[in-house]
Amino acid sequence: MTEQQQPRVIADLTADGADVDRLVADLDAGGWAAPTPAEGWTVAHQIAHLAATFRMAGLAAADPDQFVAMTGRLGADFNANVTAALSGYLSEEPAELLRRWREERTWAEKALGALPMNQPVPWLVRPLPAAVLAMAGMMELFAHGQDIADALGVRRRFTDRIGQVVGFAVRTWDFGYQARGLATPDVEFRFEITAPSGALWEFGPADAAERITGPAEDFCLLVTRRRHPDDLAVRAQGDVATHWLGIAQAYRGPAGPGRRPGQFAALRG
């Protein structure tokens, strides 16, 4: 995250939340029940997951002690924790689920926005600066919003707000190794990512041998594992960077199966 991005992150988080909201605001019951590319998850599951995530973020920002107490009661089974978090939302009718998702989102935006952006906030693995937790929220919106868009056959369009997700993914480039129990290589990557506006976002040493280049949308689809690397215009230079393309992820949980090559060919363009 650059110094220019930090002051905008709450506004960007709010705007991205509104974009996902527009995907589901007018859905009928069949739309909420539509299956998404995440096996066993409907559109309702995706919104329930986002609601639960934003509830945790709001609690972490507004009442850190209560957040620590709550997370201290979680078990070691990641998938079981996710299922438990979703259950209270999935029992609701779509209109109530939508209302609760909006309520949790608004609370998190306000709670994070009330803090200095560099103030540490407790989170699931380690404390994060408030701005970085907001960026993590944008990554969740990008990923689960994509699942919803894919379920509904919608082609999304992105602005340079996506730079917050790019910055978060660069910051967490080692998560793919950690999720698989692999040693993180002792190298520095150079990332050259092209924004929707055409601007070039650069991270890492200019002379690094291991390099990742490509458009921001494709880069974010890669690190959220919403598209197979073969279907993206993200390119690697160097053996380590080439291997990284296949394991990249910007989240801490299990990698999951990802997506198949050519799975979304009908949605291109």
Side-chain angles (χ1 to χ4, degrees):
M1 175 175 54
T2 67
E3 291 182 1
Q4 290 74 28
Q5 285 176 306
Q6 182 168 318
R8 299 197 312 265
V9 67
I10 302 301
D12 288 349
L13 175 70
T14 302
D16 275 10
D19 280 352
V20 173
D21 193 290
R22 281 189 284 273
L23 288 173
V24 300
D26 297 322
L27 290 182
D28 59 16
W32 283 94
T36 69
E39 185 176 356
W41 279 35
T42 64
V43 169
H45 283 83
Q46 301 290 346
I47 293 297
H49 176 80
L50 288 171
T53 300
F54 275 73
R55 178 182 182 277
M56 287 196 299
L59 184 63
D63 193 338
D65 290 341
Q66 187 176 346
F67 174 84
V68 171
M70 183 270 291
T71 54
R73 296 190 292 270
L74 296 177
D77 187 327
F78 178 88
N79 290 326
N81 291 334
V82 171
T83 299
L86 267 60
S87 62
Y89 295 99
L90 290 173
S91 63
E92 306 286 5
E93 293 297 318
E96 179 62 11
L97 173 57
L98 180 62
R99 186 197 67 78
R100 291 185 64 189
W101 141 242
R102 289 171 171 169
E103 182 178 76
E104 307 291 20
R105 196 172 85 238
T106 299
W107 183 40
E109 292 161 359
K110 290 181 177 179
L112 286 167
L115 300 176
M117 289 292 93
N118 61 354
Q119 180 170 319
V121 178
W123 198 234
L124 298 174
V125 177
R126 62 175 181 265
L128 298 175
V132 176
L133 184 52
M135 293 167 75
M138 292 183 68
M139 183 274 295
E140 294 283 343
L141 288 166
F142 179 93
H144 296 283
Q146 188 63 48
D147 289 336
I148 294 168
D150 289 337
L152 302 176
V154 174
R155 177 70 167 92
R156 301 165 86 194
R157 303 293 178 184
F158 296 97
T159 71
D160 279 13
R161 292 197 309 268
I162 202 174
Q164 304 282 8
V165 183
V166 171
F168 182 76
V170 168
R171 183 186 183 98
T172 59
W173 72 274
D174 57 340
F175 278 9
Y177 297 98
Q178 295 174 13
R180 294 163 177 80
L182 301 174
T184 301
D186 185 17
V187 299
E188 290 189 277
F189 280 29
R190 171 72 170 181
F191 295 90
E192 296 180 355
I193 308 300
T194 305
S197 67
L200 183 64
W201 294 324
E202 302 172 273
F203 307 84
D207 60 351
E210 306 294 334
R211 310 174 73 85
I212 301 291
T213 60
E217 179 179 348
D218 283 18
F219 179 75
C220 292
L221 288 167
L222 175 79
V223 299
T224 56
R225 297 180 61 78
R226 263 50 187 188
R227 291 292 186 274
H228 191 277
D230 289 354
D231 294 336
L232 300 172
V234 181
R235 300 292 178 259
Q237 177 181 317
D239 291 344
V240 177
T242 299
H243 176 253
W244 182 83
L245 288 184
I247 66 169
Q249 66 181 75
Y251 52 92
R252 281 282 197 173
R259 304 292 182 257
R260 301 184 307 277
Q263 184 175 351
F264 302 97
L267 295 180
R268 291 177 183 168

